[in-house]
Amino acid sequence: MTAIHPRPAAAPQVPGVRGTPVDPHRWPDVAAPPRASRLRRATAAA
């Protein structure tokens, strides 16, 4: 016996963003980048 599962609806694509969009309700820590100070962002960029 095989079960037929409906395909999930495709998530809308965001221009300029690669990959699959992340569901913010299911993965809140992954959906938004962590907050960081200007000094920390500059250090990470360098």
Side-chain angles (χ1 to χ4, degrees):
M1 180 174 188
T2 60
I4 299 174
H5 299 284
R7 290 185 83 155
Q13 294 295 321
V14 179
V17 177
R18 289 190 279 174
T20 304
V22 177
D23 181 7
H25 297 290
R26 187 170 183 186
W27 302 98
D29 294 334
V30 177
R35 293 173 42 162
S37 66
R38 284 185 186 176
L39 177 60
R40 185 172 291 220
R41 287 191 307 260
T43 303

